[in-house]
Amino acid sequence: MVYNPDDDQTTLVQWKDGSWQELKKVQISPEKSLIPYSPHNNLIAHHVVLFPSAPLEYGTPQALLNDIRTYIRRYVDISPEFEHIAAYYALFTWIHDAFNELPYLRARGDYGSGKTRLLLIIGSICYKPIFASGASTVSPIFHILDSLGGTLLIDEADFRFSDEKSDIVKILNNGNVRGFPVLRSELAPTKEFNPRAFHVFGPKLVATRGYYTDRALESRFITEELGGQPIRSDIPINLPSVYQEEARTLRNKLLLYRFRMLHNAHVNTDHIDRRLEPRFNQIFTPLTSVIEDETMREHLFTLAKRYQDDTVADRSQDTEAQVLTIIEELARTNSTLSVKEVTDQFSERYGSGYEHRITPRWIGSIIRRNLKLRTRKSNGVYVLQLSNTAKLKQLYERYGVTISGLGDFGDVRST
């Protein structure tokens, strides 16, 4: 669908055999046809959702990227690295439905750091941008995403407390992988509650002041930190209205890009970086699949490696990392290793940081349930199996535990 604000009309654009035409209606079957939303629809009239007005020639993909970067640089002060990423992300949103996973883009900083400006400028050139805020209620967001798709933009997206806001967090948690709709109950005309699946998959841009406590949610974002330096002198303090026309021109070019590129887009498995954990490859590889510049791809994977290192550093403060540290140290000089020994060492080194009593049962549950290391009872005592050195190495690496050497471990008994 396209919307031309000059004549206040909406139409459909059909792409076929390398050319396009505008239509008032597209007949899908004798019983089914597509018609555009009314130009007087509240979401369109109030610019909650933005559309292109007509396909426009852009030349080459590189020329289109240069136009996007010039537009972003004119109004937003961000790092050159993130400027490239943002341009590619805007491009990616127009063909995102060719992929099954995708990352999110985030601006983080205090008030006055330019988060809202970044969201507005970059969001205005994304695919069907849907402008919302942290104050928005959840129900319309579910309905808009389910009916229109597009790119969700949320300003002041620091959600921590209310149930309503946690529902928005569910959109973020479920929306980066295709096939995981959010189920909600709705009141039917018969006054019965009927479950309904809302599809929330799609690109998202958010602005926050802080971090999310959920590490899984944090791992979905490519983040730009704002407010660390003075704003460039050529950045306009007040956003001129001409940016809207510039954004519409870019949306028109990006619509033609979508027509030409959508059915050729796919995940390029050659871009998978084996240095990264599967989650980070899952998030970053779809975006790198639209990046032709090898240097830029390397920049993005360097960023992904930095995010992974930060995640490992966070994990290294967990109880699981502390238990693994004790296991690694004791295994250096002991041919047998008991859970009680691990418990005693853990209690001596880390016990002051815990309010509850450190017991072998608690340590054993961490080993079994959290670290997935097998234990069994043999001859009246518990046995901790450490023969799987590959599993141990993987755990040490995941939790940032320094490996000084691994021997051949046999079964280790615990009293």
Side-chain angles (χ1 to χ4, degrees), residues 151-386:
T151 306
L152 179 63
L153 289 80
I154 310 179
D155 199 7
E156 300 296 339
D158 294 275
F159 310 125
R160 293 173 185 168
F161 303 110
S162 74
D163 291 339
E164 181 178 82
K165 289 181 178 177
S166 67
D167 277 344
I168 299 181
V169 171
K170 291 174 186 175
I171 292 176
L172 297 177
N173 275 327
N174 289 42
N176 78 303
V177 179
R178 188 190 302 277
F180 286 94
V182 177
L183 299 178
R184 290 168 60 86
S185 290
E186 290 197 330
L187 189 63
T190 57
K191 304 301 181 181
E192 295 179 351
F193 281 98
N194 293 325
R196 176 178 170 183
F198 289 89
H199 294 275
V200 296
F201 174 73
K204 295 168 182 64
L205 279 71
V206 303
T208 65
R209 297 185 186 182
Y211 296 83
Y212 291 110
T213 55
D214 182 359
R215 291 180 191 165
L217 179 55
E218 275 288 317
S219 70
R220 291 167 168 81
F221 292 100
I222 301 174
T223 303
E224 172 77 340
E225 303 284 353
L226 299 175
Q229 59 185 14
I231 297 177
R232 290 196 336 255
S233 59
D234 60 320
I235 298 292
I237 299 300
N238 299 107
L239 195 59
S241 58
V242 68
Y243 92 90
Q244 296 173 331
E245 186 60 35
E246 295 176 44
R248 179 156 64 112
T249 298
L250 284 173
R251 289 197 302 273
N252 291 346
K253 293 181 178 181
L254 285 159
L255 175 58
L256 186 58
Y257 174 85
R258 173 177 170 82
F259 280 143
R260 289 174 175 170
M261 304 300 293
L262 177 63
H263 296 294
N264 295 322
H266 64 279
V267 171
N268 191 332
T269 55
D270 292 337
H271 295 171
I272 293 176
D273 190 334
R274 298 300 176 184
R275 299 170 298 174
L276 299 176
E277 295 178 7
R279 160 54 66 84
F280 290 99
N281 267 315
Q282 181 191 54
I283 294 299
F284 280 85
T285 303
L287 183 55
T288 62
S289 296
V290 304
I291 298 177
E292 297 181 357
D293 186 338
E294 185 176 349
T295 302
M296 190 60 225
R297 286 201 302 269
E298 278 301 315
H299 281 316
L300 198 60
F301 277 117
T302 299
L303 182 65
K305 183 64 169 61
R306 191 168 76 221
Y307 287 174
Q308 178 172 287
D309 291 343
D310 290 343
T311 301
V312 171
D314 288 339
R315 290 192 196 122
S316 69
Q317 306 301 313
D318 292 345
T319 300
E320 292 83 356
Q322 295 170 343
V323 171
L324 280 170
T325 298
I326 299 298
I327 291 175
E328 197 279 333
E329 291 178 358
L330 290 176
R332 298 179 197 172
T333 56
N334 293 277
S335 58
T336 60
L337 182 64
S338 71
V339 173
K340 186 177 186 306
E341 286 179 292
V342 176
T343 304
D344 291 343
Q345 290 292 324
F346 185 95
S347 182
E348 180 180 341
R349 184 177 304 181
Y350 304 112
S352 61
Y354 294 84
E355 296 181 358
H356 58 81
R357 183 166 168 260
I358 309 300
T359 66
R361 175 176 290 183
W362 182 62
I363 295 296
S365 69
I366 292 173
I367 292 172
R368 291 190 306 273
R369 297 177 183 178
N370 299 12
L371 298 177
K372 303 297 188 294
L373 294 172
R374 295 183 62 188
T375 61
R376 62 186 176 88
K377 197 170 185 179
S378 176
N379 298 324
V381 296
Y382 286 99
V383 175
L384 171 64
Q385 295 180 314
L386 294 178

Side-chain angles (χ1 to χ4, degrees), residues 1-5 7-11 24 36-47 51:
M1 195 189 89
V2 295
Y3 168 63
N4 191 334
D7 55 16
D8 197 28
Q9 292 293 320
T10 56
T11 55
K24 290 292 185 181
Y37 284 90
S38 165
H40 307 298
N41 181 285
N42 188 269
L43 297 176
I44 299 173
H46 289 87
H47 311 292
F51 294 88

Side-chain angles (χ1 to χ4, degrees), residues 25 81 99 104 117 122 136 160 182 219 266 294 400-401:
K25 181 173 71 172
E81 181 185 59
F99 301 88
Y104 300 149
R117 172 73 65 87
I122 298 175
S136 301
R160 293 173 185 168
V182 177
S219 70
H266 64 279
E294 185 176 349
V401 176

Side-chain angles (χ1 to χ4, degrees), residues 15-153:
W15 175 262
K16 186 176 181 180
D17 299 328
S19 61
W20 61 272
Q21 60 176 326
E22 285 193 62
L23 302 169
K24 290 292 185 181
K25 181 173 71 172
V26 175
Q27 199 70 36
I28 302 299
S29 67
E31 299 82 18
K32 184 178 180 181
S33 61
L34 295 178
I35 60 173
Y37 284 90
S38 165
H40 307 298
N41 181 285
N42 188 269
L43 297 176
I44 299 173
H46 289 87
H47 311 292
V48 175
V49 184
L50 301 180
F51 294 88
S53 56
L56 183 64
E57 181 57 54
Y58 57 86
T60 65
Q62 187 58 52
L64 180 56
L65 276 167
N66 291 339
D67 289 344
I68 294 172
R69 286 184 56 207
T70 300
Y71 163 77
I72 294 174
R73 190 184 307 116
R74 183 177 298 122
Y75 298 113
V76 182
D77 187 11
I78 53 179
S79 65
E81 181 185 59
F82 195 77
E83 186 181 284
H84 279 87
I85 293 172
Y88 277 111
Y89 193 81
L91 197 73
F92 172 80
T93 64
W94 287 82
I95 55 172
H96 77 274
D97 36 344
F99 301 88
N100 291 320
E101 298 93 11
L102 49 79
Y104 300 149
L105 215 62
R106 174 172 60 179
R108 185 169 55 214
D110 205 353
Y111 66 90
S113 59
K115 303 188 304 297
T116 302
R117 172 73 65 87
L118 183 149
L119 213 64
L120 191 61
I121 292 300
I122 298 175
S124 293
I125 59 174
C126 289
Y127 178 63
K128 287 193 285 190
I130 303 163
F131 290 88
S133 74
S136 301
T137 56
V138 175
S139 181
I141 294 178
F142 276 110
H143 282 85
I144 295 170
L145 281 175
D146 187 63
S147 60
L148 291 178
T151 306
L152 179 63
L153 289 80

